[in-house]
Amino acid sequence: MGGDIPPPVDQLAAVSLTSDEASSSTAQKARFSDRVRINSILGRPDGGAGLAGQKVRISGWVKTGREQGKGAFAFLEVNDGSCPANLQVMVDASVSDLSKLIATGTCVTVDGCLKIPPEGKGTKQKIELSVVEVVDVGTVDPGKYPIPKTKLTLERLREFLHLRARTNSISAIARIRHALAMATHTFFDEEGFLYVQTPIITTSDCEGAGEMFQVTTLISTTEKLERELIENPPPTEADVEAARVVVKERGEAVAALKAAKASKEAIIASVAELNDAKVHLARTEERSRLKPGLPKVDGKIDYSQDFFGRQAFLTVSGQLQVETYACGLSDVYTFGPTFRAENSHTSRHLAEFWMVEPELAFADLEDDMNCAEAYVKYMCKWLLEKRYDDMELMAKNFDKGCIDRLKLVASTPFGRLTYTEAIKVLEEAVAKGKKFDNDVEWGIDLASEHERYLTEVVFQKPLIVYNYPKGIKAFYMRLNDDGKTVAAMDVLVPKVGELIGGSQREERIDVIMERLEEMGLPVEPYEWYLDLRRYGTAKHSGFGLGFERMVLFATGMDNIRDVIPFPRYPGRADL
């Protein structure tokens, strides 16, 4: 193809970002691939300049491409998703057909030599790749590719979930989301927590809200039965009676043979015919009882015929289940998908979302608040250390204050005040002329506007509000001595309001039984949960962090549908 002879694959450099090699001029061979990740080049303190002269193989997608020198060569901006920055790649026309390389979205694998760009070329990069060989090309028809060079709105990108990860914003959010997940596991591992995988299918409603997705096979089995009944109608009463007559006749025939002392062989044969007739009658009677529609008993759906033999749902929380492990292993956490069948179209709601839910044995509400504060701070520090380049992109394109917000939360002690004190602050603001869309009075569930006013305007830092009215909280939260409030807490942060909700759990079985009765919840589905109080009950606490809310807070994005890879909400469940 012209140019220098490409080196063998096993001699291609693989650049590493370990601390010992960050300033080294000698690149290391990749472990699982013959390519070098672009962040391994551009993410070095010297921007990759120290790798000049190294021969590498890179792969990625062309962000922009342009021919220059009257078609003599082309410059490609290539990104492989490992970092927000693109690597500038120069390809000579003698090496490859440039027209196949320059379209946005084209996938390329190329071998080349890293070089310092000539001064005055206008590039901000300290290094570029001069291509020796084009190894592979995944072409794109520019007229049909739905992700053009020009910026699409985030709403429009939701129409292309399968391609939007190639855009700067969504790829940055994906890396930030990954970093927050890694920070979560690292934090709890360092603190001695065990990771427990709680079930997605459950028979319990943790929140008691009833807005749950039902898991059932009754509909599909009913539809299958109805198709079968159309193709093969059930027996009529006359068919059943005819089968009964055959059984009667076969029985009389056996009796007659026995009375006549017929041969053993004749009697055995006649008995076999009788048994066949009985089997046929049983099947005929069974099929005659088949009817279209869902199975019912006393006018209600008969869930004993469902897959699990009872009603089952997609979980809204793994908290109740993870408590069982906390009451045996002490400190545990779960991190997984949860579901809410709430017909909401707001920018803050999803039907499928992820929750981080730690549970601390032998811990009271103050311990719970301390853990929540330390965890949030840990995640903020982790992002600032691990993904600052992506945070810079978010600050540039979406929320210029997102980095300062992370620094604020990471370094500032969280304020703490009771719910009653918070209501008093809000009432004083209203008295001075502040207007809220939602009324302020003791007993309300604080709205997002209230939470954000407290954390952004009044205190200008993260807050933990605790001791909420029992009437707006779940049955499992510990009743305080005043009989009016429960030992619950919410962590409020700028931008999103409530980030975490938690509580000390009610360990007294008589009190929790009363709470179930107050809320009109059946006891039977929670008997196993009550056993934790019957047998060796222990003080324990926990909280839940909505993972997507944390990503919203970190990135400054406005719509929760843009911070989860495959958003599910009313009317949409693409891919």
Side-chain angles (χ1 to χ4, degrees), residues 228-229 232-236 239-241 243-244 247 275-290:
E228 182 184 328
L229 291 177
N232 184 17
T236 63
D239 295 328
V240 174
E241 184 58 35
R244 291 189 183 124
V247 169
N275 289 335
D276 289 344
K278 288 180 177 180
V279 169
H280 177 69
L281 172 60
R283 289 175 178 173
T284 302
E285 288 177 331
E286 181 180 4
R287 290 202 75 249
S288 71
R289 290 191 289 268
L290 294 178

Side-chain angles (χ1 to χ4, degrees), residues 31-92:
R31 185 175 177 188
F32 298 121
S33 174
D34 59 359
R35 75 179 179 94
V36 174
R37 291 187 178 91
I38 289 174
N39 75 317
S40 299
I41 300 171
L42 302 181
R44 293 165 52 98
D46 62 4
L51 298 173
Q54 292 283 299
K55 294 176 180 177
V56 298
R57 169 172 292 176
I58 66 105
S59 300
W61 291 267
V62 175
K63 291 288 188 175
T64 62
R66 63 190 188 279
E67 290 187 43
Q68 291 194 345
K70 297 182 179 180
F73 58 93
F75 284 110
L76 311 176
E77 294 289 326
V78 178
N79 189 287
D80 64 358
S82 62
C83 63
N86 304 323
L87 178 64
Q88 181 163 280
V89 174
M90 196 273 282
V91 188
D92 194 273

Side-chain angles (χ1 to χ4, degrees), residues 101-147:
L101 304 177
I102 60 174
T104 297
T106 300
C107 185
V108 296
T109 295
V110 296
D111 294 338
C113 184
L114 293 169
K115 294 182 178 181
I116 304 292
E119 292 185 11
K121 286 183 60 177
T123 179
K124 295 181 181 180
Q125 288 190 359
K126 305 293 180 63
I127 200 77
E128 69 179 16
L129 184 69
S130 180
V131 173
V132 172
E133 180 182 357
V134 176
V135 179
D136 199 11
V137 179
T139 59
V140 161
D141 181 346
K144 296 181 179 179
Y145 186 56
I147 311 292

